[in-house]
């Protein structure tokens, strides 16, 4: 896999390190790792966020309470990480050199894309973001950055990413739990 990323071997090592840490995290420090991993996966780490469901925390809580704690902590981490991605997207659409070049171009690409974005937002809005984030094993960083450039309300964006992230984990648990029930 490192040959695919070429010069990004540091990122690959970081991802591998986080995955190992998540797979072996126990106790209350494990909750912190779930939060940090979910925060980072929202804007920089490639990989599935569902990995956090396999954290062997051993907190002395009933399994349902431990799972709920992992899911809530992950959703909060991803919502906060998505706010950072949102801020980056807002800055990029205001001050990015590509945006400035496109605004000066002969064809008004920015005006066209802004109009399309308004249409998309009117059709799907933040519910579309939450729905996109509910799809298990899909890289949600793509959806987060796409909507970060299209939308402009920090609170609604954070709420949509929180609900979408929580929904994704619930869908994953129901899907995996249903599969084990059939076996």
């Amino acid at each position: 896999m490192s040959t695919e990323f070429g010069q990004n071997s540091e990122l690959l090592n970081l991802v591998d390190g986080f995955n190992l840490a998540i797979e072996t995290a126990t106790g209350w420090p494990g909750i912190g790792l779930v939060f940090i991993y979910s925060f980072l996966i929202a804007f920089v780490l490639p990989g599935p966020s569902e990995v956090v469901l396999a954290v062997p925390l051993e907190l002395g809580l009933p399994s349902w309470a431990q799972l709920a704690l992992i899911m809530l902590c992950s959703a909060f981490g991803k919502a906060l990480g998505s706010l950072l991605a949102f801020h980056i997207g807002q800055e990029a659409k205001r001050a990015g050199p590509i945006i400035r070049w496109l605004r000066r171009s002969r064809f008004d690409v920015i005006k066209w894309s802004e109009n399309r974005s308004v249409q998309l937002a009117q059709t799907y809005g933040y519910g579309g973001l939450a729905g996109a984030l509910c799809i298990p094993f899909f890289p949600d960083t793509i959806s987060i950055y796409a909507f970060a450039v299209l939308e402009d309300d920090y609170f609604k964006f954070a709420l949509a990413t929180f609900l979408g992230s929580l929904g994704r984990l619930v869908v994953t648990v129901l899907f995996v739990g249903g599969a084990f029930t059939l076996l």
Side-chain angles (χ1 to χ4, degrees):
M1 199 168 162
S2 59
T3 57
E4 284 178 46
F5 289 103
Q7 296 177 348
N8 293 331
S9 62
E10 294 85 15
L11 179 60
L12 185 60
N13 290 336
L14 181 65
V15 171
D16 289 342
F18 265 109
N19 284 338
L20 179 62
I22 288 294
E23 292 168 4
T24 59
T26 59
W28 289 101
I31 288 292
L33 281 173
V34 166
F35 179 86
I36 291 168
Y37 179 78
S38 299
F39 177 84
L40 291 174
I41 207 162
F43 70 95
V44 72
L45 290 181
S49 59
E50 295 81 3
V51 169
V52 299
L53 294 172
V55 175
L57 288 179
E58 302 170 12
L59 296 173
L61 300 171
S63 59
W64 65 267
Q66 186 167 290
L67 185 60
L69 184 61
I70 290 169
M71 293 167 77
L72 287 171
C73 185
S74 177
F76 275 116
K78 193 169 308 163
L80 287 177
S82 72
L83 284 176
L84 181 57
F86 186 78
H87 181 71
I88 292 168
Q90 295 300 302
E91 291 301 314
K93 83 177 173 187
R94 280 190 214 110
I98 294 172
I99 299 297
R100 285 193 302 270
W101 177 79
L102 287 172
R103 285 193 190 279
R104 291 188 302 248
S105 70
R106 187 173 132 180
F107 303 103
D108 201 352
V109 175
I110 298 300
K111 180 78 169 161
W112 177 84
S113 64
E114 286 172 349
N115 289 339
R116 290 293 296 151
S117 299
V118 167
Q119 290 172 352
L120 287 171
Q122 288 172 340
T123 304
Y124 301 108
Y126 293 97
L129 172 60
L133 292 176
C134 283
I135 301 169
F137 306 107
F138 184 76
D140 46 3
T141 309
I142 295 168
S143 300
I144 288 171
Y145 272 110
F147 273 84
V149 174
L150 300 176
E151 301 296 342
D152 61 0
D153 187 313
Y154 279 83
F155 177 76
K156 288 179 183 177
F157 190 82
L159 183 61
T161 56
F162 174 80
L163 293 175
S165 299
L166 189 59
R168 170 190 225 140
L169 296 175
V170 168
V171 167
T172 302
V173 166
L174 292 175
F175 179 74
V176 171
F180 281 120
T181 302
L182 290 175
L183 296 176

